[in-house]
Amino acid sequence: MGISFKKAFIALISINIFLAFFTYYKVTRITTPNEDLQTETVSSREFLQERVIESKSEWDVWEYMSQHAKWDKAHLGLRKNSNYCREVEQYNQQHSLTGRIRERRVFTEYKFGLLVRQVIRNHFVDAHPKVRIHLTEAEKAALNQPLDPRISVFFTKNEVWHHLFKIGEDVVCEHQRYNHIPGAEHFCNKDWLVMNFKDYRESFKQLDRPKCAEEIDFLPESWNLDQEQDCRDFFVLAEDYLKEEPHSEVSFIKKASRGLHNGKGIAILDDAGIKGVIKEYDGGKKCGVRTKPIQIQFYVHSYLVNKHKFDFRVYMLIANVRPTIAFFHDGFLRFAMKEYKEGSTELGSNITNTQLAKTTKFGEDPGDYTTLDQQMWNFTQFEEHMEGNGLAPRGWFKNDFKKQMKRIMAHLIRMSVDKYLNHPGLFELFGCDFVLDSNLKVYFIEANNSPAFQATTEEKGRIQSQLIKEALDMQFAILENGINTDFTNKQFEMIIDERIDGPGRYFGLLDDQCYVEGSL
């Protein structure tokens, strides 16, 4: 981003040492109640009796869940049952566990007719076919169902299902899988992402591992305005920035740190926009007083295709937490619907959000896209555009571009894994957004748990249907074969496998200096 006032910013960085940033999880061997399913795994009952996180972090995920719990309230017409896990255990003892797993029974509350529900009904057994989000109170009362003890996988839209049902008692029992990882908020919430990123980068500087520290430059510099020091640092920088000649291009973007989606809460800041933020915070005097979660970030001047800005939505699957096994999956490009013009602060030419594209009228200008088919490309189209037109060398897409995204994903997991609930039944599928700058460098923008699977185009529906099915297939393979599962899958590409000793667990994505003995 190379702007002239960057030296002023560098002088203002506050150093936060964060040496205890990794966790090592050991896998123990147990014998299942059924002789027909001998596997290496961790007993969730054994883990829950310990009620500990094997981590040096002060973050206590159990305490956090308890503080936000609504365990005593009914949800979606499902009866709460603190004996549910005992009933699941009894059912498993009385029936073939392998047989139950091979029934491929999945619980979901996605709306009827949506892509996720269709995939589950086409390839698995919908455990509670009448349950869905947005039921009326009358519909909930009429249902009044207990959870089926034959469920193998919970795949819920609600990313805080664990605040509604208590893990290990009335949901996610032994030999069940659940698609949300408590603690993953530490890279999904934008404010926590920035704090963890800065601590993680600083830790490698303190360990005198410069090659690894250099790799950790994938997030545009950001300031959380609800954090007093971050806030003050930004306004010192902003005052210096405005002392320069008037700028023809924008340099900052303002957004909500959490809680808002679909392009809401975003503003592109030109000089006038920056002056507005300075006025709102009284030149920084309200730092530490205003606590609304707002973030300011350097604006990445991204690569253009046919004069349109675009970003990448790809997918990251943490298939298992204990040990950590994670994958990359291809996605697609999303274009802004309006042509980009230098200095434009209009959301329609800067933001690629699909919901914005669906709800905003475009077509007033000759370069506008007018259909959702125009709004997306698959990766094959992008590769052909870049390499076929000589905009990047042959092999760039596979050997450089995708590798950059996979490397960033590996760092995201490593910088936050000590905050996760260390439970053997967890997995999660994230939608990760990236942009490409004019120098073909990839920057990470954000990760979304419970990403939208809207199938707004036929091609997007094909990609997402395959993704959901294969992610669920993998969970059933883990249930049947344990951690020795062979994860060979041409669509999912491994980024971390903690079962492998040494830096080889990163598949050549990270510099060897990033490996720390006894950690992920």
Side-chain angles (χ1 to χ4, degrees):
M1 287 164 277
I3 58 180
S4 62
F5 58 90
K6 197 165 184 179
K7 290 182 180 178
F9 158 69
I10 294 172
L12 293 167
I13 295 178
S14 57
I15 298 176
N16 298 307
I17 299 174
F18 187 78
L19 293 174
F21 55 94
F22 294 122
T23 299
Y24 180 65
Y25 305 126
K26 293 185 178 180
V27 179
T28 59
R29 183 178 181 83
I30 64 166
T31 302
T32 65
N34 297 60
E35 292 183 358
D36 62 342
L37 186 66
Q38 301 292 331
T39 185
E40 192 171 321
T41 183
V42 176
S43 166
S44 57
R45 181 175 60 244
E46 170 195 341
F47 171 76
L48 291 165
Q49 286 171 347
E50 297 172 5
R51 287 290 171 120
V52 297
I53 308 172
E54 296 173 346
S55 170
K56 298 177 183 178
S57 170
E58 294 179 0
W59 165 259
D60 188 333
V61 69
W62 281 110
E63 181 181 346
Y64 181 78
M65 286 195 296
S66 298
Q67 289 171 351
H68 294 78
K70 298 178 182 177
W71 293 327
D72 58 340
K73 296 184 179 179
H75 185 61
L76 297 180
L78 295 166
R79 291 204 303 269
K80 297 294 180 72
N81 178 7
S82 59
N83 291 317
Y84 175 68
C85 283
R86 293 192 187 120
E87 293 175 3
V88 170
E89 182 179 10
Q90 290 171 0
Y91 183 89
N92 291 338
Q93 290 172 344
Q94 296 167 6
H95 301 81
S96 164
L97 182 56
T98 301
R100 192 211 77 187
I101 293 168
R102 290 178 180 175
E103 288 178 0
R104 293 164 67 85
R105 202 170 293 271
V106 178
F107 172 88
T108 190
E109 54 4 350
Y110 274 84
K111 286 184 180 179
F112 306 147
L114 291 185
L115 181 67
V116 172
R117 200 87 189 214
Q118 291 174 351
V119 170
I120 289 173
R121 290 185 172 181
N122 288 341
H123 301 284
F124 306 91
V125 176
D126 189 343
H128 285 266
K130 294 184 179 180
V131 172
R132 60 173 173 81
I133 56 177
H134 304 316
L135 287 172
T136 66
E137 292 303 317
E139 288 171 328
K140 293 176 186 176
L143 272 177
N144 193 29
Q145 293 181 347
L147 278 172
D148 189 334
R150 298 172 296 173
I151 293 170
S152 289
V153 178
F154 292 86
F155 197 85
T156 70
K157 170 68 175 172
N158 191 332
E159 68 269 21
V160 290
W161 187 263
H162 45 278
H163 293 166
L164 303 167
F165 293 84
K166 188 179 294 188
I167 289 178
E169 290 187 16
D170 46 24
V171 75
V172 195
C173 314
E174 198 166 353
H175 304 300
Q176 290 182 333
R177 309 286 292 173
Y178 170 55
N179 73 313
H180 296 295
I181 301 172
E185 302 96 320
H186 282 268
F187 68 83
C188 289
N189 291 342
K190 299 179 186 70
D191 50 354
W192 287 357
L193 165 69
V194 168
M195 289 187 286
N196 283 302
F197 173 83
K198 291 178 179 179
D199 288 343
Y200 179 66
R201 181 176 57 187
E202 185 60 30
S203 67
F204 282 100
K205 292 179 182 179
Q206 294 296 321
L207 289 172
D208 194 23
R209 299 192 179 196
K211 289 184 179 179
C212 188
E214 288 173 9
E215 283 188 3
I216 307 168
D217 65 344
F218 52 81
L219 188 69
E221 292 295 345
S222 309
W223 298 265
N224 292 325
L225 298 192
D226 58 330
Q227 300 293 318
E228 186 172 358
Q229 190 57 54
D230 253 16
C231 182
R232 294 187 186 282
D233 288 350
F234 171 73
F235 286 111
V236 172
L237 181 67
E239 293 285 0
D240 287 343
Y241 176 73
L242 291 175
K243 290 176 183 176
E244 300 175 0
E245 294 295 322
H247 303 88
S248 60
E249 272 284 15
V250 299
S251 290
F252 298 96
I253 182 170
K254 175 187 174 186
K255 48 189 169 182
S257 300
R258 59 175 73 189
L260 294 179
H261 305 281
N262 299 324
K264 296 177 181 177
I266 293 177
I268 310 300
L269 302 180
D270 55 11
D271 286 6
I274 295 170
K275 291 176 182 177
V277 177
I278 291 174
K279 182 178 179 181
E280 182 182 355
Y281 282 78
D282 195 10
K285 293 178 181 177
K286 292 185 178 179
C287 291
V289 178
R290 294 183 65 90
T291 57
K292 188 176 181 180
I294 297 294
Q295 186 176 100
I296 303 288
Q297 190 173 73
F298 268 138
Y299 182 90
V300 177
H301 290 282
S302 59
Y303 201 87
L304 300 179
V305 169
N306 300 326
K307 299 181 180 179
H308 284 254
K309 283 186 171 288
F310 63 93
D311 70 1
F312 305 93
R313 163 56 61 89
V314 296
Y315 297 94
M316 178 174 73
L317 174 66
I318 300 180
N320 200 71
V321 169
R322 194 186 189 198
T324 302
I325 302 170
F327 298 84
F328 167 94
H329 193 287
D330 280 355
F332 42 84
L333 278 70
R334 300 177 301 187
F335 289 95
M337 296 297 279
K338 298 185 73 67
E339 277 190 7
Y340 180 75
K341 296 179 176 63
E342 184 179 2
S344 172
T345 60
E346 185 179 10
L347 291 185
S349 64
N350 283 279
I351 304 299
T352 66
N353 183 269
T354 301
Q355 189 63 30
L356 180 68
K358 288 167 62 178
T359 57
T360 306
K361 183 179 179 180
F362 298 104
E364 299 170 352
D365 297 322
D368 286 3
Y369 291 155
T370 56
T371 70
L372 291 179
D373 282 323
Q374 292 175 295
Q375 199 232 357
M376 77 151 289
W377 275 4
N378 61 33
F379 272 10
T380 300
Q381 290 172 287
F382 179 63
E383 181 179 13
E384 291 174 351
H385 173 80
M386 295 298 291
E387 296 184 12
N389 292 321
L391 301 172
R394 290 291 177 186
W396 169 82
F397 177 82
K398 179 180 179 181
N399 300 322
D400 187 335
F401 168 68
K402 285 180 67 173
K403 187 174 181 179
Q404 287 188 64
M405 291 193 289
K406 290 191 281 187
R407 178 186 297 122
I408 291 169
M409 287 180 176
H411 281 303
L412 285 174
I413 295 169
R414 296 177 77 238
M415 76 184 194
S416 57
V417 70
D418 65 328
K419 313 293 196 308
Y420 303 165
L421 178 62
N422 185 11
H423 186 283
L426 305 177
F427 72 101
E428 191 151 5
L429 185 60
F430 302 90
C432 295
D433 298 339
F434 298 88
V435 294
L436 187 71
D437 76 3
S438 55
N439 295 316
L440 304 187
K441 175 179 171 58
V442 174
Y443 284 91
F444 176 71
I445 301 302
E446 65 179 2
N448 297 273
N449 44 16
S450 292
F453 296 114
Q454 296 180 338
T456 48
T457 69
E458 183 177 348
E459 177 65 3
K460 193 180 290 186
R462 181 192 66 79
I463 294 169
Q464 292 174 336
S465 295
Q466 178 188 64
L467 170 76
I468 296 163
K469 178 183 179 299
E470 292 183 355
L472 287 170
D473 282 341
M474 196 178 294
Q475 295 309 304
F476 281 99
I478 291 172
L479 282 169
E480 190 160 354
N481 303 311
I483 64 163
N484 293 319
T485 298
D486 178 5
F487 292 108
T488 303
N489 185 306
K490 63 181 179 181
Q491 302 301 328
F492 279 101
E493 302 172 37
M494 265 192 164
I495 53 177
I496 291 179
D497 187 349
E498 198 182 2
R499 298 174 300 178
I500 299 172
D501 290 331
R505 62 180 51 176
Y506 313 129
F507 302 93
L509 297 173
L510 307 185
D511 188 272
D512 285 356
Q513 280 195 358
C514 295
Y515 176 71
V516 178
E517 185 72 31
S519 74
L520 177 62

